[in-house]
Amino acid sequence: MRRVVITGMGVVSPAGNGTAAAWEAVRLGRSCYQASADRGFHKPLGTVDRGGGANAPFQPAREIDPTVKMALEASREAVAQADFAQLIDRNRMGVVIGSGAGNQQTHEMLARRMYGEGKTRFHPLAIPRGMFSSVTSAIATEHKARGVAFSVSSACASATHAIGQAMLCIGSGGADVMITGGSEACLTPGCLAAWDSLHVLAQEYCRPFSAGRDGLVLAEGAAILVLEDRQHALNRGAVILAEIAGYGACSDATALTAPDPSGMARSMRRAIDHAGIDPDQICAINAHGTATESNDRSECAAIIEVFGARHGRIPVSSTKSVLGHSLGASGAIELAMSVRSLQEQFVAPTANHLAPDKDCPVDCVPNQGRAARLATILSNSFAFGGLNASIVVRHAEAA
């Protein structure tokens, strides 16, 4: 298998456009969400300013879905950083993008017009704009990527699965360069109402691993990464940001909504084994860390299973405490933040922590980040349906 490195990253998040804006908020533990009563929803949301304000009206008849728009914006930052100034073979460049809900705003608009307004005729591009794969097609078209291209939808693990598949494609020789990541824009009335019915949404703050936590904060956003065969990157003089060292995925094959610690542990072990290292060589964890009672408790149990007596000494941060839970995009955003953590040798805090929870006996880096020697970070994504994915990312100097 060929080694796979990261040569570009782009992020659109509630902290603002750009990887730097997201990292600054994550590094400082500054939560970027608030109640949004103008949407008729009074719980905190992590919204993205898409131009004209975060809540600017969306008109699919005249523009692409926000899921596609955010992914394109993030891809431009990532591709610019990767710097393809020298000619690369676009036939050997592919695209894999993950999204849990797809183009939700387009779907709800069509449903509202048909069932609410009685309309039976729509814009002729309504189907192409509503397809899950439209984000992949848009990125492939913009960047002239003519290699393998497809979309992944596996709920909150979508982006991590997409990145893992892109890694495997390069590793097996199927591509030299892959544009990959995730995008999600589903803060719509129907989606919010559905999530609210699950009784897992926070009233004020996302407090992963903390006593007194009361749920997650829904958010939107996108993160796109450029992955590249290491030798290909070196040959063209690219700057290597980090290495994707290992990828693991599995299914719980149990309950639809109840997480299974054994499945989470299996995913982490597979990623660590794929990286060819021991658990003791993992320096920090970017947790799935949603701040729901069951997820945090289960993830901590899985960490104990994998890391044994070291579970209380390895830093475990949750990016969602700052940027919210962007569902299918969250794994890509969190991987980008893990790369920045490696670059700055700094473990980001888990924000909004109130007090330790006996069921979560991990070092969650409460409220205040810290300098650390970091060679590797394990990033987790665990989705409804028991769909688990983990990635090990390695410091650029080791790549």
Side-chain angles (χ1 to χ4, degrees):
M1 292 285 286
R2 300 191 298 174
R3 293 172 67 181
V4 179
V5 297
I6 302 170
T7 54
M9 300 192 304
V11 176
V12 173
S13 76
N17 284 1
T19 306
W23 172 246
E24 180 183 16
V26 167
R27 192 182 196 283
L28 296 175
R30 187 182 69 235
S31 296
C32 299
Y33 43 78
Q34 57 188 354
S36 186
D38 59 329
R39 295 189 181 207
F41 192 79
H42 298 275
K43 291 178 181 175
L45 298 173
T47 56
V48 166
D49 189 341
R50 296 189 290 269
N55 300 314
F58 167 56
Q59 301 292 337
R62 296 196 296 271
E63 61 178 275
I64 58 178
D65 191 277
T67 303
V68 179
K69 181 181 285 189
M70 291 190 299
L72 281 172
E73 185 68 25
S75 77
R76 290 165 187 148
E77 180 188 6
V79 171
Q81 185 176 34
D83 189 11
F84 295 143
Q86 295 185 23
L87 181 66
I88 66 168
D89 185 353
R90 303 286 169 155
N91 294 326
R92 299 277 300 166
M93 182 167 75
V95 181
V96 185
I97 306 297
S99 183
N103 298 340
Q104 184 73 16
Q105 298 205 25
T106 295
H107 302 157
E108 287 201 20
M109 179 275 296
L110 294 173
R112 182 174 61 253
R113 290 188 179 181
M114 184 167 187
Y115 301 113
E117 301 172 6
K119 298 184 184 299
T120 57
R121 294 182 65 84
F122 303 109
H123 192 279
L125 294 180
I127 290 296
R129 286 172 175 165
M131 295 187 308
F132 268 63
S133 58
S134 62
V135 62
T136 294
S137 296
I139 289 176
T141 299
E142 169 138 338
H143 301 294
K144 308 303 180 188
R146 295 187 290 268
V148 59
F150 59 95
S151 295
V152 173
S153 184
S154 49
C156 303
S158 297
T160 303
H161 277 136
I163 295 165
Q165 290 303 309
M167 174 203 184
L168 294 177
C169 186
I170 294 173
S172 66
D176 296 326
V177 179
M178 295 292 290
I179 302 173
T180 186
S183 185
E184 201 83 270
C186 61
L187 302 185
T188 58
C191 193
L192 293 176
W195 271 96
D196 201 30
S197 69
L198 285 169
H199 304 290
V200 296
L201 300 184
Q203 296 295 321
E204 186 177 12
Y205 287 104
C206 176
R207 306 180 189 277
F209 308 116
S210 173
R213 64 188 182 279
D214 63 349
L216 59 88
V217 171
L218 287 174
E220 56 190 358
I224 302 297
L225 300 93
V226 175
L227 305 191
E228 198 164 345
D229 167 56
R230 178 178 178 272
Q231 193 58 52
H232 183 274
L234 292 173
N235 289 347
R236 70 180 188 86
V239 175
I240 293 175
L241 307 179
E243 178 181 5
I244 303 288
Y247 165 60
C250 69
S251 170
D252 292 346
T254 52
L256 186 63
T257 58
D260 182 352
S262 66
M264 294 175 168
R266 194 161 57 250
S267 175
M268 288 188 274
R269 283 201 184 99
R270 288 183 178 180
I272 293 168
D273 288 346
H274 189 213
I277 60 177
D278 297 322
D280 285 349
Q281 292 174 271
I282 295 295
C283 301
I285 299 173
N286 191 319
H288 188 57
T290 61
T292 63
E293 285 291 332
S294 60
N295 177 86
D296 287 8
R297 185 171 58 249
S298 297
E299 187 167 11
C300 288
I303 290 171
I304 293 171
E305 183 176 335
V306 173
F307 294 95
R310 188 168 169 252
H311 74 269
R313 300 193 301 274
I314 183 170
V316 180
S317 303
S318 173
T319 304
K320 292 180 180 71
S321 64
V322 171
L323 300 178
H325 191 354
S326 54
L327 306 177
S330 59
I333 294 173
E334 289 156 15
L335 183 61
M337 296 301 96
S338 296
V339 172
R340 289 304 301 266
S341 188
L342 287 171
Q343 290 177 320
E344 296 201 12
Q345 294 290 282
F346 186 85
V347 178
T350 299
N352 311 312
H353 192 269
L354 296 175
D357 181 344
K358 64 179 177 58
D359 292 327
C360 300
V362 296
D363 174 11
C364 68
V365 197
N367 299 323
Q368 187 72 42
R370 64 178 80 122
R373 296 183 64 181
L374 302 173
T376 58
I377 293 178
L378 176 68
S379 186
N380 289 330
S381 296
F382 304 132
F384 277 171
L387 307 179
N388 308 308
S390 301
I391 285 178
V392 174
V393 61
R394 180 181 288 138
H395 190 276
E397 287 185 3

